Amino acid sequence: CRPFTDGMDTAITYTKYLLTLLTPKHSDKLAKEFLSSQIEDFIKRKIIKAKEFIVEFGLKLIKEGDTILTYGRSHLIEGLLCKAHEKGIKFNLIVVDNPPYYEGKDLSSRLSKANIKSTYTLINGVSYFMKKVDKVFVGC
């Protein structure tokens, strides 16, 4: 079991706060509707908008012809690379992976379906590729 991330902790704290706003006078149906709408709004404001901001910021960092290295699989990095490809930015990509989960293989496969070519290597190949790398993007 992994410890909570800061984002999870924030979401839990916010949900607890929302629960304090409810009183026994509120019906179960009204409470569920209130919590659902507030949580949906939280997801839009804190998660989706943050992802969009990070992708837009990352796009400014990618230059034509860059060689980018990424490790494992991050949905955010995947979105960034797809967006850069959609905008016509040409880049070389190196996907680094390691056992036991091999998440990088999944990323490489998904990007291949989006017509983004990549070089796939295990973690022990990083030292060979690092001298060719301009940017490193890792998820969190």
Side-chain angles (χ1 to χ4, degrees), residues 88-103:
I89 302 170
K90 304 226 182 304
F91 56 90
N92 302 304
L93 178 64
I94 301 165
V95 177
V96 179
D97 207 357
N98 73 311
Y101 302 113
Y102 295 101
E103 293 171 332

Side-chain angles (χ1 to χ4, degrees), residues 70-73 95-105 120-126:
T70 189
Y71 172 78
R73 178 169 183 238
V95 177
V96 179
D97 207 357
N98 73 311
Y101 302 113
Y102 295 101
E103 293 171 332
K105 188 178 273 188
Y120 175 83
T121 186
L122 293 176
I123 192 108
N124 58 351
V126 168

Side-chain angles (χ1 to χ4, degrees), residues 87-139:
K87 289 197 172 262
I89 302 170
K90 304 226 182 304
F91 56 90
N92 302 304
L93 178 64
I94 301 165
V95 177
V96 179
D97 207 357
N98 73 311
Y101 302 113
Y102 295 101
E103 293 171 332
K105 188 178 273 188
D106 185 39
L107 175 65
S108 190
S109 174
R110 292 173 64 86
L111 292 175
S112 178
K113 290 176 185 169
N115 295 318
I116 301 172
K117 295 179 183 173
S118 64
T119 301
Y120 175 83
T121 186
L122 293 176
I123 192 108
N124 58 351
V126 168
S127 60
Y128 171 77
F129 288 104
M130 279 309 290
K131 41 193 154 198
K132 301 176 182 181
V133 171
D134 299 303
K135 308 270 179 0
V136 175
F137 290 108
V138 292

Side-chain angles (χ1 to χ4, degrees), residues 2-140:
R2 293 182 179 177
F4 288 141
T5 63
D6 290 341
M8 289 174 168
D9 193 40
T10 301
I12 291 167
T13 301
Y14 182 69
T15 303
K16 287 179 180 179
Y17 164 72
L18 291 174
L19 291 171
T20 66
L21 300 177
L22 297 172
T23 65
K25 294 178 185 175
H26 292 99
S27 69
D28 287 350
K29 182 180 179 190
L30 183 65
K32 286 178 186 178
E33 288 172 1
F34 171 74
L35 288 173
S36 292
S37 70
Q38 291 298 312
I39 290 170
E40 186 70 31
D41 183 57
F42 178 85
I43 290 168
K44 287 177 186 169
R45 285 185 297 111
K46 300 289 186 178
I47 299 172
I48 295 171
K49 290 291 182 192
K51 179 183 177 185
E52 291 170 358
F53 174 80
I54 292 168
V55 167
E56 289 303 315
F57 182 80
L59 280 173
K60 295 175 187 173
L61 300 175
I62 301 174
K63 306 294 181 225
E64 191 77 22
D66 273 352
T67 297
I68 299 168
L69 181 138
T70 189
Y71 172 78
R73 178 169 183 238
S74 160
H75 295 280
L76 193 116
I77 301 301
E78 181 180 342
L80 169 61
L81 297 171
C82 286
K83 192 75 157 181
H85 180 71
E86 288 170 15
K87 289 197 172 262
I89 302 170
K90 304 226 182 304
F91 56 90
N92 302 304
L93 178 64
I94 301 165
V95 177
V96 179
D97 207 357
N98 73 311
Y101 302 113
Y102 295 101
E103 293 171 332
K105 188 178 273 188
D106 185 39
L107 175 65
S108 190
S109 174
R110 292 173 64 86
L111 292 175
S112 178
K113 290 176 185 169
N115 295 318
I116 301 172
K117 295 179 183 173
S118 64
T119 301
Y120 175 83
T121 186
L122 293 176
I123 192 108
N124 58 351
V126 168
S127 60
Y128 171 77
F129 288 104
M130 279 309 290
K131 41 193 154 198
K132 301 176 182 181
V133 171
D134 299 303
K135 308 270 179 0
V136 175
F137 290 108
V138 292
C140 54

